[in-house]
Amino acid sequence: VKPIPRVIELDRKQPEFTLSFKEYMQRVTPQARVKKGRKQFAQNKQILSEISKKYSVQPQFLIAFWGIETDFGRVTGGFHVIPALATLAFDDRRSKFFRRELHFALRILEDGHIAADAMVGSWAGAMGQPQFMPSSFAGYAVDHDNDGRKDIWTTKPDVFASAANYLSRYGWRGDERW
């Protein structure tokens, strides 16, 4: 695998670090996304309610998380995860971190959760609809539909349950508005 120059370039110019908070919020929460979020909330109300009860994470925050991370599953990245992580593991800046992520990604493939050619994500290796790094997948992904795979790429119940599990395990309080 050859290093991917675009991955290194993006690593050096992350939008979260180059935009003001106001600019960033305008980019990730335009009114059209809010409207789409309300529609997605209504369409997925039953499964969101079930998952909310299990993990104590309010449904509206799961929809917001999903909308901000991938525009409700529409934009999940355009890089094959293994080559992107291998590039960053080779780069000196954060190689130790990305070598660890690469090992987790290979384990995900080995365990059969997704095929290598379908394992597409961000330039940094964030994957699926919740944009989990491979280590987050290992720690928090959930097989909510009990089909033997933790499918954060195409299965909404697994996507929502995984995001809820992540937030819950990080101390989310279902009785507060954050």
Side-chain angles (χ1 to χ4, degrees):
V1 176
K2 283 185 165 184
I4 305 167
R6 181 73 175 135
V7 168
I8 300 297
E9 179 185 338
L10 289 167
D11 183 49
R12 301 294 192 268
K13 295 180 183 174
Q14 297 177 46
E16 291 86 353
F17 302 133
T18 60
L19 299 174
S20 70
F21 179 74
K22 183 178 178 180
E23 291 168 330
Y24 181 75
M25 288 304 293
Q26 288 172 341
R27 179 183 286 184
V28 300
T29 60
Q31 194 57 41
R33 184 169 289 157
V34 172
K35 184 178 177 182
K36 189 174 180 181
R38 289 185 175 120
K39 183 178 178 181
Q40 288 291 339
F41 183 86
Q43 289 175 351
N44 294 286
K45 195 169 188 170
Q46 183 177 355
I47 189 67
L48 287 165
S49 178
E50 176 185 321
I51 289 168
S52 176
K53 286 177 187 157
K54 182 173 182 177
Y55 295 98
S56 296
V57 177
Q58 303 93 320
Q60 66 269 29
F61 295 112
L62 293 173
I63 288 292
F65 183 97
W66 186 39
I68 288 171
E69 286 299 328
T70 61
D71 195 25
F72 311 101
R74 188 181 67 80
V75 182
T76 59
F79 292 89
H80 287 279
V81 170
I82 299 300
L85 289 174
T87 296
L88 293 166
F90 179 76
D91 185 52
D92 289 337
R93 200 163 84 83
R94 297 184 289 165
S95 61
K96 184 177 179 181
F97 171 79
F98 285 107
R99 275 195 307 272
R100 182 174 179 268
E101 293 299 326
L102 179 58
H103 287 280
F104 276 111
L106 293 170
R107 176 58 55 96
I108 293 165
L109 294 175
E110 184 177 297
D111 291 346
H113 296 290
I114 191 165
D117 61 338
M119 188 187 248
V120 176
S122 76
W123 60 266
M127 311 174 300
Q129 295 186 41
Q131 289 292 279
F132 277 6
M133 290 302 289
S135 60
S136 294
F137 180 97
Y140 307 105
V142 174
D143 176 16
H144 188 79
D145 66 357
N146 296 311
D147 69 351
R149 293 177 41 234
K150 298 173 184 177
D151 182 5
I152 63 169
W153 295 271
T154 62
T155 304
K156 284 184 192 177
D158 289 3
V159 170
F160 298 146
S162 296
N165 186 41
Y166 177 88
L167 293 170
S168 178
R169 301 256 311 271
Y170 262 96
W172 188 269
R173 300 256 329 252
D175 61 342
E176 293 184 2
R177 290 189 60 171
W178 291 31

